[in-house]
Amino acid sequence: MRLASIGWENRRKSKRRAFVFPATIYRLDRTIFCGCTIVDVSETGARFRIYRKYAEIALDLPERFYLSMTSRDDILHKTLSVARECELVWRRDRDVAVRFLHRTPAS
């Protein structure tokens, strides 16, 4: 039975794509918060899992932060950085979903 036939629908604005990739979470002041693995991504957001060794601080994840898929050496470099400013949507233990706040890379 299709979910749509019982009234359920996907309310996401864009299609999710499986995307397993290491990433780093940075506070808005660009200091490192912790590492994670991106599980899936879309044009409007992502879902990731915080590394187990950071499980205790996962509860302190800020409401807004940068999610970077760039090496630490490049995070502050405007043209090389692949980072997005994010807003927390939900968190379950180490699993987190975010909405991207801007469509362009963080500068």
Side-chain angles (χ1 to χ4, degrees), residues 16-70:
R16 282 186 179 183
R17 291 177 181 80
F19 185 83
V20 179
F21 198 83
T24 305
I25 299 167
Y26 289 83
R27 294 174 186 89
L28 292 180
D29 67 2
R30 297 194 186 236
T31 57
I32 294 174
F33 181 76
C34 71
C36 64
T37 299
I38 297 174
V39 177
D40 61 45
V41 68
S42 72
E43 285 185 32
T44 59
R47 187 168 54 98
F48 59 86
R49 174 168 282 179
I50 294 174
Y51 293 151
R52 181 165 293 158
K53 68 181 182 180
Y54 300 114
E56 289 186 26
I57 66 168
L59 295 175
D60 296 326
L61 184 68
E63 293 292 318
R64 290 180 58 190
F65 52 88
Y66 291 111
L67 180 62
S68 174
M69 295 163 274
T70 307

Side-chain angles (χ1 to χ4, degrees), residues 21-24 26 38 67-77 79-84:
F21 198 83
T24 305
Y26 289 83
I38 297 174
L67 180 62
S68 174
M69 295 163 274
T70 307
S71 72
R72 288 185 178 162
D73 295 338
D74 295 333
I75 186 61
L76 297 178
H77 194 286
T79 59
L80 296 178
S81 179
V82 180
R84 297 291 182 267

Side-chain angles (χ1 to χ4, degrees), residues 43 64 66 83-86 99-106:
E43 285 185 32
R64 290 180 58 190
Y66 291 111
R84 297 291 182 267
E85 186 174 356
C86 299
R99 175 178 14 271
F100 297 142
L101 295 179
H102 307 286
R103 294 190 73 160
T104 58

Side-chain angles (χ1 to χ4, degrees), residues 86-104:
C86 299
E87 179 179 57
L88 182 65
V89 174
W90 58 259
R91 174 184 45 226
R92 291 185 192 100
D93 298 319
R94 295 182 300 125
D95 295 323
V96 178
V98 297
R99 175 178 14 271
F100 297 142
L101 295 179
H102 307 286
R103 294 190 73 160
T104 58

